[in-house]
Structures are given as structure tokens and as C-alpha cells.
């Protein structure tokens, strides 16, 4: 399966829109069969502020609804996350957009609450589980950013047959090596490919979030197969679904 990860500007609306235009041109040119986009990537990063602004939240909801509507008819599925309000409750919802439809597949479960990442202040913990879903005939899972550190869920997704785990994130530059470690470990523990996309901002004039980019793909052996950067913000690779399926029966995945 041919998959694409990316880094998208999170600091400026014009740069964000140009980034998405370039991403989808890239994915079409590369004949990608799946594109993973970052966490809540279509509006300013709300969690920079330690005070929830309901009007800003609802504006972000509308911006994501409009953006997702525009990408639903892309020739490839798109997986990411977006702000939603359900029954008066705010969530960070993982979605699959394809063939004119947007399907909820997960709600972010584990929320940080610190400078740049006041997420538990802005929205609630998802109260569902981690379930697999189909993407172009391939079994996938989704873990949003901090969810990845609760690695028992990566193990469960692998045991449920996930050949790939999509990982939209918004993470800071100074912690990139830590995230590389988490992505590699999750590949090993699940026996799945980890497809991780991040928001990005230039080093000068950083926000508290200090968004660091570096979208990456890891294989079931925990090898980083490629990574994005400011000069090359998109990465498309062919991943071997049969290899991921076979990895489920190898150490340490078979150990109960």
C-alpha cells in the first residue's frame, strides 16, 4: 500500500492552506492510497492558550468541517483529527474521510495539560476504546498524539489485525527524539507500520507549542523508514501489508 505522511504549518493560515494544496498535489502525483494529516491541522492550534475560548472552539469546528468537506472527494482516503462538539461536550475526534463521507473512528483518550498543550482545558477525554477500521481493504488503527504513549493500546490494535496505525500529532521540536522512540516502540509492540504526521512552525517566533514537524513512518521492526523536514514536508512510501501480517506471529508480539 502506498501511504503519505506530512508536516503542515500550524502557525499561519495562508501557509496552512498552501501546505494542504501542496500535500494533495503531491499525493495525487504519487498515486497515494492513504494520506495521514496532523492533529487538528486546519485551524490555529487552540491549546496554546490556557483558557478555553468557546467562540474560538466553534470557529475551529466550522473550519475543520469545511476543510474536510473539501477533501472528502479526494481519490485517496485521508485520516486525521478534528475538534467536534457532541451533545454539548467537546472532543478531539479521529476521522476517516473518503468517497464523500467522513467517519469518526476514535476520540483522543489521553490529554496533556501544560504550556502549549492545554488540551484537557479545551476538551474532554474520549470515553470510547481503540478499534480497528478498514482503509482500502487494509485493517488500520488510530492513536492521536499522546495516545501513543499508552502502548498497551498499540498492542491491542496489532492483535486485532491492524497492519498500520495512523498517528496524527501536534508535538514540540525539543521532544522529537522522544517521539521517534515512541513511534519505533509502537511498531515493535503492535507489529504494524506507524504513520505519524505532525504540525510545524519555523523556529523563529515559536509559540509555546514549539511545533516541530518531522512526520515519519516506522515499520514493524521499529525502523524509521523516512521522515519529513522543512525542505521536504511530504513523504510517500510503499509499505508491505503481508510483512505486517506476518510480524504478528514473531517476537515479541506472540507473547501473551
Amino acid at each position: 500500500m502506498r501511504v503519505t505522511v506530512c508536516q503542515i504549518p500550524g502557525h499561519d493560515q495562508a501557509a496552512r492552506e498552501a501546505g494542504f494544496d501542496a500535500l494533495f498535489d503531491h499525493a495525487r502525483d504519487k498515486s497515494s492510497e492513504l494520506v495521514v494529516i496532523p492533529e487538528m491541522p486546519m485551524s490555529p492550534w487552540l491549546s496554546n492558550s490556557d483558557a478555553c475560548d468557546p467562540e474560538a472552539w466553534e470557529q475551529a469546528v466550522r473550519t475543520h468541517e469545511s476543510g474536510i468537506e473539501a477533501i472528502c472527494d479526494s481519490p485517496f482516503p485521508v485520516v486525521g483529527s478534528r475538534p467536534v462538539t457532541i451533545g454539548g461536550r467537546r472532543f478531539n475526534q479521529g476521522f476517516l474521510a473518503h468517497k464523500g463521507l467522513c467517519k469518526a473512528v476514535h476520540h483522543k483518550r489521553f490529554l496533556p495539560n501544560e504550556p502549549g498543550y492545554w488540551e484537557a482545558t479545551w476538551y474532554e477525554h474520549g470515553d470510547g476504546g481503540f478499534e480497528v477500521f478498514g482503509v482500502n481493504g487494509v485493517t488500520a488503527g488510530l492513536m492521536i498524539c499522546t495516545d501513543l504513549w499508552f502502548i498497551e493500546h498499540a498492542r491491542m490494535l496489532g492483535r486485532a489485525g491492524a497492519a498500520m496505525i495512523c498517528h496524527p500529532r501536534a508535538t514540540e521540536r525539543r521532544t522529537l527524539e522522544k517521539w521517534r522512540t515512541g513511534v519505533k516502540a509502537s511498531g515493535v509492540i503492535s507489529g504494524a507500520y506507524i504513520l505519524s504526521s505532525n504540525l510545524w512552525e519555523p523556529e523563529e517566533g515559536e509559540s509555546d507549542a514549539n511545533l516541530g514537524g518531522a512526520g515519519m513512518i516506522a515499520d514493524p521492526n521499529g525502523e524509521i523508514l523516512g521522515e519529513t523536514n522543512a525542505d521536504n514536508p511530504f513523504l510517500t512510501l510503499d509499505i508491505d501489508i503481508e510483512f505486517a501480517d506476518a510480524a504478528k506471529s514473531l517476537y515479541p508480539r506472540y507473547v501473551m
Side-chain angles (χ1 to χ4, degrees):
M1 186 176 196
R2 183 163 293 182
V3 299
T4 299
V5 298
C6 64
Q7 58 184 60
I8 291 291
H11 61 292
D12 176 84
Q13 184 64 27
R16 187 160 42 246
E17 291 175 359
F20 271 109
D21 287 344
L23 168 63
F24 288 104
D25 284 345
H26 166 94
R28 281 187 288 268
D29 289 345
K30 297 291 187 180
S31 299
S32 183
E33 297 170 274
L34 170 66
V35 174
V36 178
I37 61 176
E39 181 178 12
M40 291 191 182
M42 297 178 181
S43 63
W45 180 241
L46 297 171
S47 301
N48 263 319
S49 172
D50 63 358
C52 178
D53 180 342
E55 290 186 7
W57 175 267
E58 291 305 324
Q59 179 59 53
V61 169
R62 291 191 294 271
T63 298
H64 279 78
E65 286 176 346
S66 175
I68 292 168
E69 184 178 354
I71 65 176
C72 266
D73 291 323
S74 298
F76 39 76
V78 179
V79 171
S81 92
R82 64 176 182 169
V84 295
T85 304
I86 302 173
R89 301 171 66 191
R90 296 187 294 269
F91 296 101
N92 184 343
Q93 182 184 84
F95 67 85
L96 167 65
H98 193 211
K99 296 182 178 179
L101 299 174
C102 182
K103 176 184 177 181
V105 293
H106 177 62
H107 291 99
K108 187 173 183 179
R109 184 79 170 270
F110 300 102
L111 309 182
N113 217 36
E114 59 182 63
Y117 297 90
W118 298 104
E119 295 177 48
T121 297
W122 279 83
Y123 53 89
E124 296 186 42
H125 300 262
D127 46 17
F130 293 78
E131 306 293 338
V132 295
F133 56 96
V135 181
N136 275 345
V138 176
T139 303
L142 190 149
M143 305 179 81
I144 302 173
C145 203
T146 301
D147 287 342
L148 193 76
W149 293 115
F150 295 82
I151 205 162
E152 63 272 21
H153 297 291
R155 183 190 301 275
M156 289 191 297
L157 287 169
R159 286 185 172 170
M164 55 190 181
I165 295 175
C166 304
H167 183 229
R169 72 184 208 274
T171 63
E172 57 186 321
R173 182 172 283 105
R174 68 182 180 88
T175 62
L176 285 179
E177 192 56 42
K178 184 186 298 183
W179 284 100
R180 290 184 186 102
T181 299
V183 165
K184 291 190 288 185
S186 295
V188 171
I189 205 69
S190 64
Y193 289 88
I194 310 298
L195 315 179
S196 185
S197 292
N198 194 19
L199 293 173
W200 172 86
E201 61 186 355
E203 291 191 50
E204 63 276 7
E206 291 170 344
S207 67
D208 285 345
N210 186 18
L211 298 162
M216 61 190 79
I217 298 174
D219 73 8
N221 287 329
E223 297 293 327
I224 299 287
L225 303 180
E227 193 170 301
T228 69
N229 55 50
D231 294 326
N232 299 285
F234 318 127
L235 171 68
T236 296
L237 294 176
D238 292 318
I239 62 173
D240 186 344
I241 303 304
E242 291 184 0
F243 176 61
D245 291 342
K248 305 295 190 292
S249 63
L250 302 177
Y251 183 87
R253 274 80 59 170
Y254 73 83
V255 178
M256 300 300 290

